[in-house]
Amino acid sequence: MLLGHGAVYDEQYYTVAPPMAGSSWRDMEAWCIETFGPSTGSIWIKSNIRTPNERWYQNNGKFWFRSEADLSWFLLKWS
């Protein structure tokens, strides 16, 4: 998994780009919703209501987490 970081609405986020082979993206997304609560989904899709400072987002083949602890939980589950 590729790790990185970036900013969403000027706030720091930790990112992970999981490989598309193996576990399904939808399984990962469902697990994030169950574990971390709902998200508006993709950060920049115009049809979504943009909500700053969400706990997590998904976009561009990556999951974006507000806290490093949430990123760690994701990595423990899906690595």
Side-chain angles (χ1 to χ4, degrees):
M1 291 199 192
L2 279 169
L3 302 177
H5 57 86
V8 178
Y9 304 112
D10 297 323
E11 298 294 334
Q12 177 68 39
Y13 277 76
Y14 301 92
T15 66
V16 59
M20 291 302 157
S23 295
S24 159
W25 181 273
R26 290 181 188 210
D27 292 340
M28 293 178 190
E29 178 184 12
W31 181 85
C32 285
I33 292 168
E34 181 180 320
T35 305
F36 305 125
S39 173
T40 57
S42 181
I43 302 165
W44 296 282
I45 292 178
K46 292 180 183 180
S47 64
N48 284 348
I49 298 170
R50 297 182 180 122
T51 306
N53 300 321
E54 288 225 15
R55 185 172 182 178
W56 69 281
Y57 295 98
Q58 57 185 341
N59 191 67
N60 198 25
K62 298 177 187 175
F63 288 91
W64 299 63
F65 297 100
R66 184 84 170 103
S67 79
E68 193 170 13
D70 288 351
L71 170 66
S72 295
W73 278 112
F74 183 91
L75 292 173
L76 285 170
K77 171 67 178 172
W78 299 105
S79 291

